[in-house]
Amino acid sequence: MILLSTESDNDSHGFATAELSFAVAGRTLLHPLTLDVPPGRIVALLGKNGSGKSTLLKLLARQTKPSAGSVRFGDRPLGDWSEREFARRVAYLPQETPSATGLLVRELVSLGRYPWHGALGRFTDNDRRKVEEAMALADVVSLAEREVDTLSGGELQRVWIAMLVAQDARWLLLDEPISALDIAHQLEVLGLLRRLARERGLGVFVVLHEVNMAARFCDRVIALKAGRLVASEETEAFMAPKRLHDVYGVAMNVVRHPVSGAPVALAD
């Protein structure tokens, strides 16, 4: 797992791809893709299994090198950023998080400060303050002295997000952070991500399978199908029967939630 962060609260860098593609063993997982992912918003990455969502996220997070095309982050190509620079601006949470056996919650969250002081640097009072602030924001202060292995799925996801927040990252790239959670914890985690985007101006790019969760919490949708871009638009525009059929291949109706007024997709 790569933990990444930022140097300035005024960062306004976004991602942009140009004819970006990825192939392995003669199979194209991502066809030439040109799009912008704007900063300061929560953007859902949607699509069926095998559509290329995780591949795209890994390319943006520098976990994988493209086969062709390019990615820019802010004002320069992705490869022109030094490891340390990039590691202070972007945070990546994969589908499968590494084992944290034996660590307390506070210790795991503290790992988020690594890009700032390195392996041999001193853990400062500012680092401690950032850790406490992150735990408070993610509502995991009461778990601080618990062993990570004893946490529920929802608790654990909030702790991982707290670790990313402790890094001061301006971007969070998260691959299916709610896939193994019950409905209550899904709402909890996505609510936290939306607060981070609204209150701290973070860019959040999140892979989701639940289209109605995207409609409820996300500002914008980028959708893939078989490795090709199908949609890149505001969530309200995306939540239309034809567009949903284009992405998922099934007929859906869209109605309004009786309380929030948000669009809700219902399969025929």
Side-chain angles (χ1 to χ4, degrees):
M1 177 177 186
I2 286 190
L3 308 176
L4 314 162
S5 231
T6 185
E7 293 177 328
S8 169
D9 286 340
N10 295 320
D11 257 335
S12 58
H13 298 299
F15 288 93
T17 74
E19 297 297 305
L20 180 69
S21 66
F22 182 76
V24 61
R27 187 165 68 97
T28 299
L29 303 181
L30 196 67
H31 294 271
L33 178 66
T34 298
L35 59 81
D36 293 311
V37 187
R41 310 187 75 193
I42 178 166
V43 181
L45 181 53
L46 302 180
K48 296 166 68 174
N49 288 341
S51 62
K53 303 186 299 298
S54 294
T55 298
L56 174 57
L57 207 67
K58 288 177 181 177
L59 289 167
L60 298 186
R62 303 210 309 189
Q63 299 296 290
T64 302
K65 292 185 178 181
S67 301
S70 64
V71 182
R72 295 183 68 86
F73 177 59
D75 56 355
R76 46 187 153 145
L78 200 61
D80 286 0
W81 290 85
S82 72
E83 289 293 331
R84 192 172 184 86
E85 282 182 308
F86 192 69
R88 290 182 170 184
R89 286 169 170 81
V90 182
Y92 169 62
L93 189 68
Q95 285 186 44
E96 296 185 10
T97 54
S99 172
T101 299
L103 289 180
L104 300 179
V105 165
R106 187 187 305 279
E107 293 170 334
L108 179 56
V109 177
S110 296
L111 292 177
R113 298 304 299 164
Y114 179 82
W116 295 94
H117 56 68
L120 302 177
R122 185 170 62 89
F123 201 80
T124 66
D125 288 341
N126 183 59
D127 291 321
R128 294 184 184 89
R129 179 174 60 83
K130 294 292 186 180
V131 169
E132 294 302 320
E133 288 178 353
M135 290 196 299
L137 187 63
D139 193 25
V140 296
V141 173
S142 63
L143 307 175
E145 305 308 319
R146 289 264 304 274
E147 290 191 5
V148 172
D149 288 348
T150 69
L151 303 179
S152 70
E155 291 170 338
L156 183 57
Q157 284 298 77
R158 294 206 320 272
V159 169
W160 282 114
I161 293 171
M163 184 187 65
L164 304 185
V165 173
Q167 299 167 213
D168 280 342
R170 303 306 301 168
W171 270 96
L172 305 183
L173 308 180
L174 305 107
D175 196 349
E176 298 189 32
I178 66 169
S179 61
L181 304 182
D182 59 45
I183 184 66
H185 287 119
Q186 289 182 15
L187 294 170
E188 194 175 74
V189 168
L190 290 177
L192 171 58
L193 294 177
R194 183 169 63 180
R195 288 203 311 276
L196 291 171
R198 297 284 191 274
E199 297 172 11
R200 294 203 167 193
L202 303 190
V204 179
F205 196 25
V206 54
V207 174
L208 296 174
H209 277 297
E210 298 285 342
V211 65
N212 288 324
M213 287 296 186
R216 177 167 178 172
F217 289 99
C218 299
D219 303 309
R220 190 172 180 83
V221 167
I222 291 173
L224 303 177
K225 183 175 183 179
R228 300 181 187 277
L229 182 66
V230 177
S232 178
E233 57 199 355
E234 299 299 293
T235 305
E236 185 73 23
F238 177 78
M239 293 296 288
K242 183 181 185 307
R243 183 64 86 200
L244 293 167
H245 185 271
D246 289 343
V247 174
Y248 295 106
V250 297
M252 294 189 187
N253 290 315
V254 178
V255 300
R256 293 287 170 177
H257 191 281
V259 176
S260 68
V264 177
L266 301 173
D268 281 351

